[in-house]
Amino acid sequence: MVSSEQPRIQWLGRWGFMLAATGSAVGLGNIWKFPYITGEFGGGAFVLVYLACILAVGVPVMMTEIAFGRRGLGSPVDAIRRVVRESGRSSAWSLIGWMAMLCGFMILSFYVVVAGWSFAYLWKMLTGGLAGSSVDDMAAVFEANNANPWNLGFWSTLVTLLTMLIVGKGVQEGIEKSVSWMMPGLVLMLALLIAFGVFSGGFAQAFSFLFSFDAGSLSSEGMLAALGHAFFTLSLASGAILTYGSYLPKGTSIARTTLSVAIADTVVALMAGLAIFPVIFANGMNPAEGPGLIFMSLPLAFQAMPFGTLFGTLFFLMLSMAALTSAISMVEATVSWLCDNKGISRRTASWSTGIVLWLISTLAMLSFNLGADWTLAGKSVFDWLDYLTSRLMMPLGGLGMVVLAGFVLKSETFRDELGLAPLPYALWLSMVRYVSPLGIVVIFIDALGIYQVSFAAHWPLLLAILVAMVALGEALSPRLRPALQARRAL
Ligand code: PFF
């Protein structure tokens, strides 16, 4: 075990990590993005591939991140440096930590703008600002909300302030307490909305849309979107989960905790789908509406239903809460790094981070109005932040971490930290060595536009590459065999 100068604070309650990590994972990604990309990529088939990606890539990568955090007891930079040093490897690997930390910070810079939409809509819902009779009217409301920089800036600034306030209060008091009431509240409100859907129509159609598997609607783009979304939705390669993992007590099972977080995240995403699609179908709307699905269409639907203002308010309240519990996790790595390395208090660290965040997020916010023309290669500041993080940094960071864990570090490190029985350990190892890297490389190649990978057409090639990777990997560094032999010896 790597020791640090001071004992690191840990989560207070038994459920502390579970609540905080679930709060991080469940966010705009589940409630805003998952339904709209599911709608875009054809429903059931997309959902199935997404579930497979969560299991084959998301879960192993998340276990690896938590183990890095708990082993290295620090922010991504410090934790990775300590863990690689323990194996006598170069500290240059901590670059992965720097990138993850930066990635979380950059995601937050545009995430506060989207979260700001949610807060703005909560306010509009409460004050009757969402009156309109057509999708066009709602599109106009959305555009008007974005067009005024003072208005949009007010909401994103509010989200920034709330985020830094919670983070500044500290791991136990701030994060753990806020999540412990926000998460159950969120699930309750989703359940309420689903119950509403069951009684008001559209539920059966929504259910079959989400769960009927139609292989014909599987596109390679949809499969890649599913894989990319698995990263985003589980908050991977952005420092959040790794830093939260550094507060995890030694005795807690990483595998079990990861599975619980992944299940909770998936259940909330599916619940969000089951809550939203009945409304879409009952009102004859198009599920493939795109990113504006919630903001442009749902207020219209809420307006048409009994107690619509109440349900609409609950919905945007829930979305804002989910966004906030994710936002606080994105900046935790940076704040933790500042506290540990610069000797400043948590409060100072969080307010100084907040100022930089506010400046960058203001640029992202201005992309929707004054800065709409400040583009580079056709992308605004907002688009670039999104593109760089989800297309480049997350896949690269995830790849770096699984390669480190799978091939570079001493095998005892992760064997000790994960504390798994031989068979689950061998399963984790084969995932981080072969399945996850291959999946990540495929997204990466596609994201860079180097080559359009079609799973339908290229699966024999991909399978052959996987087999070749296993053969080569095991020839160069045979760790899987001893793990399995250990099992036989038991
Ligand atoms: N998982 C969050 C969501 O689904 O909205 C997004 C996210 C949170 C990404 C934290 C990255 C992160 F570090």
Side-chain angles (χ1 to χ4, degrees), residues 440-477:
I440 296 165
V441 167
V442 171
I443 315 180
F444 204 45
I445 289 175
D446 189 79
L448 287 179
I450 297 171
Y451 187 72
Q452 188 70 47
V453 184
S454 152
F455 279 90
H458 298 121
W459 70 266
L461 179 68
L462 289 169
L463 198 66
I465 295 174
L466 186 66
V467 172
M469 280 170 70
V470 175
L472 194 71
E474 291 314 302
L476 292 177
S477 167

Side-chain angles (χ1 to χ4, degrees), residues 34-80:
F34 173 74
Y36 101 71
I37 50 177
T38 299
E40 249 170 25
F41 292 109
F46 175 87
V47 174
L48 195 74
V49 178
Y50 162 77
L51 295 177
C53 291
I54 292 277
L55 262 182
V57 183
V59 168
V61 172
M62 193 177 208
M63 284 171 66
T64 308
E65 278 205 35
I66 301 175
F68 263 117
R70 191 168 70 177
R71 187 84 176 175
L73 297 172
S75 66
V77 178
D78 297 329
I80 294 179

Side-chain angles (χ1 to χ4, degrees), residues 23-30 104 107 111 229 231-241 265 322 326-327 329-330 394:
S24 167
V26 177
L28 294 165
N30 303 61
I107 294 176
Y111 204 83
H229 189 61
F231 260 92
F232 187 84
T233 196
L234 291 179
S235 312
L236 301 177
S238 329
I241 292 298
D265 184 75
S326 298
S329 74
M330 292 173 204
M394 281 177 138

